[in-house]
């Protein structure tokens, strides 16, 4: 069976489930650390540290880049402590770099790029350095991919959890899957068909056997969309059932208890 490519909604729902006490049970910080570790490990498998010693990281506002998140304060302090420099403009940074890590937008990106990210995306379009994108190349439509070929094409993509539908437009030589945090149960529930991760690795290389069976046919998309909406409906029904159990429990404990006391 072939690896599943996720819609935006499914990717977001899986993320929520990973952080739910009745799902994956992870904390936000744990997931981010594990995702980051898998990206770092994948990058070092492809790009030799001696040949590519200076990596410029483009970070964004969401969980992909963590720029506007509370954890960012700690990350900035860590970079300062480790003497990792910050740059004053994308162009200046690129001049002194060997490799680029694109972590501007992830699976919640929508619409056209808004300020202040336009110049960063333009700089990525203009650079000749190899680019490694995290989860989905920034500014690509999460489901439609590199619409009209107007986006940049990275050399490497590290998909997290499972590739997003837009990743079908990735034509670079290195596609990895990172984020070894999906249980067998979640894999089966969402029909992900994840490949095994070798040894203790946090990432696995995706090759033709994982990717080729997915062609952009309507039939394939329709089948997948139907399968996904069935899963999302079941998840929704389960959540509603849990909510009504909770409400009944609350009613029994508070309202019924109060009226008898
Ligand atoms: N389960 C996992 O696989 C994990 C994934 N992780 C990473 O988290 C991102 C998804 O994070 P999220 O915060 O939902 O989304 P984004 O990073 O895409 O950021 C949304 C952010 O961007 C703004 N925005 C959206 N569209 C635009 C636009 N057109 N122009 C400007 N700004 C835009 C929006 O307002 C938000 O502020 C996932 O991809 C993974 O990389 C985690 O690491 C945990 C595990």
């Amino acid at each position: 069976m072939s690896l599943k490519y996720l819609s935006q909604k499914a990717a977001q729902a899986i993320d929520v489930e990973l952080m739910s006490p009745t799902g994956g049970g992870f904390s936000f910080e744990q997931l981010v650390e594990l995702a980051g570790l898998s990206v770092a490990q994948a990058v070092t498998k492809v790009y030799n540290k001696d040949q590519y010693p200076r990596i410029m990281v483009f970070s964004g506002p969401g969980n992909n880049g963590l720029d506007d998140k509370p954890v960012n304060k700690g990350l900035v302090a860590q970079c300062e402590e480790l003497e990792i420099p910050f740059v004053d403009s994308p162009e200046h940074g690129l001049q002194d770099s060997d490799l680029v890590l694109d972590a501007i937008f992830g699976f919640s990106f929508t619409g056209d790029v808004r300020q202040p990210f336009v110049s960063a995306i333009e700089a990525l379009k203009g650079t000749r350095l190899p680019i490694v994108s995290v989860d989905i190349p920034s500014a690509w439509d999460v489901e439609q991919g590199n619409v009209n070929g107007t986006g940049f094409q990275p050399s490497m993509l590290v998909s997290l959890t499972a590739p997003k539908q837009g990743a079908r437009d990735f034509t670079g030589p290195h596609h990895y899957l990172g984020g070894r945090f999906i249980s067998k149960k979640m894999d089966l529930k969402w029909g992900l068909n994840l490949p095994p991760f070798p040894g203790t690795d946090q990432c696995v290389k995706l090759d033709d056997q994982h990717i080729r069976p997915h062609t952009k046919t309507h039939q394939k998309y329709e089948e997948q969309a139907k399968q996904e909406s069935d899963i999302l409906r079941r998840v929704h029904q389960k959540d509603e059932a849990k909510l009504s159990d909770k409400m009944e429990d609350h009613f029994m404990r508070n309202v019924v208890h109060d009226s008898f006391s």
Side-chain angles (χ1 to χ4, degrees):
M1 268 202 286
S2 45
L3 181 60
K4 180 156 175 181
Y5 281 56
L6 298 175
S7 68
Q8 189 167 46
K9 266 197 182 146
Q12 288 165 335
I14 292 175
D15 205 33
V16 170
E17 187 168 327
L18 277 168
M19 284 184 265
S20 144
T22 54
F26 287 98
S27 69
F28 170 73
E29 286 78 6
Q30 281 178 316
L31 273 187
V32 167
E33 287 285 346
L34 286 170
L37 179 64
S38 69
V39 172
Q41 203 177 63
V43 169
T44 55
K45 282 188 188 291
V46 174
Y47 296 101
N48 182 299
K49 182 172 163 277
D50 297 328
Q51 244 180 310
Y52 301 91
R54 299 165 306 170
I55 304 179
M56 177 167 171
V57 179
F58 280 66
S59 65
N63 293 345
N64 193 285
L66 299 174
D67 228 20
D68 286 349
K69 300 283 161 182
V71 290
N72 188 45
K73 229 170 145 190
L75 295 175
V76 170
Q78 285 166 20
C79 288
E80 283 167 353
E81 180 65 18
L82 294 167
E83 295 173 32
I84 296 169
F86 289 81
V87 297
D88 56 7
S89 76
E91 294 72 22
H92 286 155
L94 288 170
Q95 275 165 19
D96 297 326
S97 304
D98 308 295
L99 182 68
V100 181
L101 188 76
D102 154 37
I104 303 181
F105 301 119
F107 58 53
S108 296
F109 175 81
T110 48
D112 294 330
V113 182
R114 298 188 298 272
Q115 291 296 8
F117 300 102
V118 178
S119 59
I121 297 293
E122 288 308 310
L124 289 175
K125 282 186 192 173
T127 185
R128 290 171 155 225
L129 297 175
I131 302 176
V132 180
S133 288
V134 179
D135 212 18
I136 183 86
S138 291
W140 281 24
D141 186 280
V142 176
E143 293 178 3
Q144 303 304 316
N146 190 4
V147 181
N148 301 325
T150 54
F152 61 86
Q153 184 67 246
S155 323
M156 178 168 176
L157 173 63
V158 186
S159 294
L160 295 170
T161 295
K164 314 301 163 292
Q165 287 173 3
R168 292 169 197 270
D169 281 349
F170 173 66
T171 56
H174 315 289
H175 191 176
Y176 275 72
L177 179 69
R180 190 177 181 166
F181 32 58
I182 296 287
S183 62
K184 197 77 218 141
K185 207 165 102 187
M186 276 183 77
D187 187 346
L188 286 172
K189 173 179 165 184
W190 290 94
L192 303 178
N193 304 317
L194 297 180
F197 285 71
T200 53
D201 280 2
Q202 300 298 309
C203 59
V204 52
K205 185 168 170 50
L206 299 178
D207 49 32
D208 287 355
Q209 58 158 323
H210 304 115
I211 295 160
R212 203 179 274 152
H214 282 264
T215 48
K216 266 190 167 176
T217 60
H218 269 305
Q219 199 193 356
K220 197 92 204 169
Y221 267 135
E222 272 164 19
E223 262 172 37
Q224 192 176 324
K226 192 185 163 305
Q227 199 191 20
E228 216 158 63
S229 64
D230 285 349
I231 297 169
L232 283 168
R233 204 183 44 245
R234 284 205 301 272
V235 170
H236 187 65
Q237 278 167 353
K238 234 178 165 180
D239 284 351
E240 282 200 334
K242 266 190 211 146
L243 190 67
S244 86
D245 281 355
K246 268 196 195 141
M247 282 164 71
E248 195 178 309
D249 186 46
H250 176 82
F251 178 79
M252 294 302 284
R253 274 194 287 117
N254 298 308
V255 183
V256 177
H257 177 264
D258 285 352
S259 50
F260 284 101
S261 54

